[in-house]
Amino acid sequence: MTILINGQPETCIDIQDRGFQYGDGLFETIAVVNGVCPLWKYHMRRLQHSCEQLQLNSPDIDLLSQEVKKLSAKKKRGVIKIIVTRGSGGRGYRYPENENITRIVMIHPWLDYPASNWQEGINITQCNTRLAQQPALAGLKHLNRLEQVMARNEWQDIKITEGLMFDTQDNLIEGTFSNIFLIKNSQLFTPDLELSGVAGVMREFIIQQARELAIDVDICQLRENDITQADEMFMCNSLIGIWPIKQFNDSSYAVGPVTAQLLEITQQIYSSPNV
Amino acid sequence: MTILINGQPETCIDIQDRGFQYGDGLFETIAVVNGVCPLWKYHMRRLQHSCEQLQLNSPDIDLLSQEVKKLSAKKKRGVIKIIVTRGSGGRGYRYPENENITRIVMIHPWLDYPASNWQEGINITQCNTRLAQQPALAGLKHLNRLEQVMARNEWQDIKITEGLMFDTQDNLIEGTFSNIFLIKNSQLFTPDLELSGVAGVMREFIIQQARELAIDVDICQLRENDITQADEMFMCNSLIGIWPIKQFNDSSYAVGPVTAQLLEITQQIYSSPNV
């Protein structure tokens, strides 16, 4: 059993579900380590915040927790995906009169990547597809992901691991499936996500950890030339932790000390899951 | 039988379908009149264009046509909805290696509205939710419709029929489920949709008809003060034809001569379906 829809094992969804008709919903992608989800509290906080922003009734968190435990109980490694939609109904775009959210919990196999992604870093490219500025949806992990789909499919070269996305006003925002941090003079910088992008759980964790280590963290507007001037850079998400960036266009980067320090901290999540 | 998925009667969709996971697909909403779809050619042209822009393989149009006929054969009035998605598969946002599009054809009952919507016009409001500027997706009837969902649910007053949406740079774009035309000095104006909005089939039909009647049509940037200065205004879509706008904030509008002329032409679609 790998999928529960409203608590029942299922493999298909009602075609009238607004998640299908309009992308009217949100999701979480959560690492399972030795049967537990180390960043569970961060994911649930984001899920509840996203539900609020989308005017969706949040699912019962204890119920979600039970269902996730059911699917991930004996898994050394796995990926839990939770999807919440506004369910079926409502005339056109109008909310249904009696909201009946759809609650989906599924488990996927853990994805293996080369050890060099963490040890030496990755090569990245720049995407042509821009992220639109949309304050009503910025930061949220909603189901409207065509921008990421189009961006990710701009390159086929398997030596390129991730692509950077800029918004329509040329601000650096994030990767297609990760957030980005730059380091300059031992300070951390990461793009402001008030208008575009997804506020990642790993991004939040890293900001917290860095501040506890008295590393300055500036959440701000970043541009292309900030990349070329950076001493170090890394991408992050809740499944891979941190991948240093080794190469971007003509610029090469070593795995710097700040990156190495945060890499060590984040890697502990995937071995000792009590966070 | 009201739903065909890849030619088979079904009511539910594979949960891994990318249309559900990411809104990775598009749709058409088509009026059925006495067993035929009067604007079929317009809808198919838009569908094929949208498939191209989203790098989706277009479904076979003859096959679609047969399936639509099967569902709409004896219907005096109905609404056909066609959904095309990129199907299941692909790692994360990446396209599947072997693309297997999902082709859905369904029929819904015709929606009845008060005759006064056409005869006297409708009251409309202004939405706070903005449309983001996204050239990669502008004009297309894709499945990422959270902006319209959020905008439509800003008002509950049943006396308000539609809400106007502006983009993040304050340009007037469209209604939540319709396009808009303004008339000034017997000239037609409608917003440019190069950066936002959905290029409606009825909008296209009206532009064509107007030009055949030697009415000037300007597709251009429009702002809020163009609304207050308009002599006449109307909303349009492929299911309702034209609804004159009677009231917007403090401004009242009569059903003017250009609106009346185009209203008469478009209403013929819903009685004599040979277009």
Side-chain angles (χ1 to χ4, degrees):
Chain A
M1 175 183 64
T2 58
I3 306 173
L4 293 169
I5 302 182
N6 296 328
Q8 299 303 314
E10 296 278 2
T11 54
C12 73
I13 192 91
D14 179 0
I15 208 177
Q16 307 289 5
D17 195 290
R18 296 168 66 98
F20 182 70
Q21 301 275 331
Y22 310 129
D24 191 4
L26 51 87
F27 67 109
E28 288 291 332
T29 311
I30 307 175
V32 174
V33 180
N34 298 326
V36 301
C37 300
L39 295 169
W40 178 255
K41 292 198 170 117
Y42 293 81
H43 284 284
M44 288 306 102
R45 254 203 317 270
R46 181 173 67 180
L47 184 144
Q48 288 179 304
H49 169 76
S50 297
C51 283
E52 208 177 294
Q53 295 302 303
L54 294 179
Q55 300 183 311
L56 271 173
N57 288 327
S58 175
D60 184 298
I61 301 299
D62 291 333
L63 188 53
L64 267 182
S65 177
Q66 286 168 35
E67 291 175 353
V68 167
K69 282 193 173 101
K70 202 186 271 190
L71 295 187
S72 57
K74 297 187 175 68
K75 299 264 190 277
K76 198 161 151 57
R77 289 277 183 280
V79 178
I80 282 283
K81 188 166 187 179
I82 293 173
I83 298 176
V84 179
T85 82
R86 211 180 304 275
S88 303
R91 185 150 138 164
Y93 295 124
R94 286 194 65 183
Y95 295 157
E97 293 222 358
N98 301 310
E99 191 186 82
N100 247 323
I101 63 163
T102 298
R103 174 184 89 251
I104 296 165
V105 182
M106 24 191 213
I107 190 150
H108 293 305
W110 189 252
L111 289 174
D112 279 315
Y113 291 100
S116 56
N117 283 18
W118 290 269
Q119 290 163 1
E120 289 141 41
I122 59 171
N123 296 348
I124 65 173
T125 187
Q126 180 167 339
C127 297
N128 293 320
T129 305
R130 298 302 183 103
L131 288 169
Q133 291 188 334
Q134 175 50 280
L137 298 177
L140 312 181
K141 208 168 170 76
H142 54 71
L143 292 175
N144 281 200
R145 298 263 74 110
L146 267 172
E147 291 175 326
Q148 281 77 14
V149 168
M150 295 178 83
R152 178 56 191 89
N153 290 284
E154 287 181 32
W155 81 92
Q156 313 298 329
D157 183 352
I158 57 170
K159 294 193 297 302
I160 305 278
T161 305
E162 183 44 312
L164 292 186
M165 299 188 73
F166 292 74
D167 72 13
T168 46
Q169 304 295 318
D170 301 329
N171 299 304
L172 171 65
I173 301 297
E174 59 188 18
T176 68
F177 61 88
S178 58
N179 292 116
I180 185 168
F181 284 81
L182 277 52
I183 293 107
K184 182 78 185 165
N185 300 329
S186 304
Q187 277 186 281
L188 266 176
F189 298 85
T190 197
D192 180 291
L193 303 180
E194 294 284 302
L195 296 180
S196 301
V198 178
V201 147
M202 182 56 65
R203 173 184 180 270
E204 185 193 349
F205 179 74
I206 287 166
I207 290 169
Q208 254 181 28
Q209 293 298 310
R211 287 178 172 159
E212 282 176 23
L213 294 167
I215 299 170
D216 268 349
V217 184
D218 199 356
I219 301 167
C220 58
Q221 199 181 49
L222 292 170
R223 316 278 292 177
E224 191 172 357
N225 65 337
D226 293 308
I227 300 177
T228 40
Q229 302 207 10
D231 301 325
E232 316 168 34
M233 293 203 293
F234 64 81
M235 313 298 300
C236 68
N237 75 32
S238 63
L239 302 183
I240 57 104
I242 282 176
W243 281 341
I245 291 164
K246 179 174 68 169
Q247 186 85 26
F248 172 60
N249 293 342
D250 296 326
S251 303
S252 297
Y253 304 82
V255 180
V258 176
T259 301
Q261 189 178 21
L262 293 166
L263 185 66
E264 198 187 325
I265 292 169
T266 50
Q267 281 311 99
Q268 286 168 24
I269 292 169
Y270 304 100
S271 42
S272 323
N274 294 322
V275 171
Chain B
M1 180 184 61
T2 57
I3 307 172
L4 292 170
I5 302 182
N6 295 329
Q8 298 304 311
E10 294 281 0
T11 56
C12 73
I13 191 93
D14 179 359
I15 210 178
Q16 307 290 5
D17 195 288
R18 296 167 67 96
F20 182 71
Q21 300 275 331
Y22 310 129
D24 192 2
L26 51 87
F27 68 108
E28 289 290 332
T29 311
I30 307 176
V32 175
V33 179
N34 297 325
V36 301
C37 301
L39 295 169
W40 179 254
K41 291 198 171 119
Y42 293 81
H43 285 285
M44 290 305 103
R45 253 200 320 267
R46 182 172 67 181
L47 184 144
Q48 288 179 302
H49 170 75
S50 296
C51 282
E52 206 176 294
Q53 295 302 304
L54 295 179
Q55 300 184 310
L56 271 173
N57 287 328
S58 176
D60 183 296
I61 302 298
D62 290 336
L63 188 53
L64 268 183
S65 177
Q66 286 168 37
E67 292 175 353
V68 166
K69 283 191 172 100
K70 203 187 270 191
L71 295 187
S72 58
K74 298 187 176 67
K75 300 266 190 275
K76 197 162 152 55
R77 289 278 184 280
V79 177
I80 282 284
K81 186 165 186 179
I82 293 172
I83 298 176
V84 180
T85 83
R86 211 180 304 274
S88 303
R91 185 149 140 167
Y93 294 124
R94 287 194 63 182
Y95 295 159
E97 293 223 357
N98 300 311
E99 192 187 81
N100 247 323
I101 64 162
T102 298
R103 175 184 86 252
I104 295 165
V105 182
M106 23 191 214
I107 189 150
H108 293 304
W110 188 251
L111 289 173
D112 279 315
Y113 291 100
S116 57
N117 283 16
W118 290 269
Q119 291 162 1
E120 288 140 43
I122 59 171
N123 298 347
I124 64 173
T125 187
Q126 179 168 339
C127 297
N128 295 319
T129 305
R130 298 303 182 104
L131 289 169
Q133 291 187 336
Q134 177 48 282
L137 299 177
L140 311 181
K141 209 168 171 75
H142 53 69
L143 293 175
N144 281 201
R145 300 262 72 112
L146 268 172
E147 290 175 328
Q148 281 77 15
V149 168
M150 296 179 82
R152 178 60 191 86
N153 289 284
E154 286 180 35
W155 81 93
Q156 313 298 329
D157 182 353
I158 55 170
K159 294 193 297 302
I160 305 278
T161 305
E162 186 39 315
L164 293 186
M165 300 187 73
F166 292 74
D167 71 16
T168 45
Q169 303 297 315
D170 301 328
N171 297 304
L172 171 67
I173 300 297
E174 59 189 21
T176 68
F177 61 89
S178 58
N179 291 116
I180 186 169
F181 283 82
L182 276 54
I183 293 108
K184 182 77 184 165
N185 299 330
S186 303
Q187 278 186 279
L188 267 177
F189 298 85
T190 197
D192 180 290
L193 304 180
E194 293 285 300
L195 297 179
S196 300
V198 179
V201 147
M202 183 57 64
R203 172 184 180 269
E204 184 193 349
F205 179 75
I206 287 167
I207 290 169
Q208 252 179 29
Q209 294 298 309
R211 286 176 173 161
E212 281 177 24
L213 295 167
I215 299 170
D216 270 349
V217 184
D218 199 356
I219 302 167
C220 57
Q221 199 182 48
L222 292 170
R223 314 281 291 179
E224 189 171 2
N225 66 336
D226 293 306
I227 299 176
T228 42
Q229 301 208 11
D231 300 327
E232 320 169 32
M233 294 204 292
F234 63 81
M235 312 299 302
C236 69
N237 75 32
S238 63
L239 302 182
I240 57 104
I242 281 176
W243 283 339
I245 291 164
K246 180 174 67 170
Q247 185 86 25
F248 172 59
N249 291 343
D250 296 326
S251 303
S252 298
Y253 303 81
V255 180
V258 177
T259 300
Q261 190 178 17
L262 292 167
L263 185 66
E264 199 188 321
I265 293 169
T266 50
Q267 280 311 98
Q268 286 168 26
I269 291 169
Y270 305 100
S271 42
S272 324
N274 295 322
V275 171

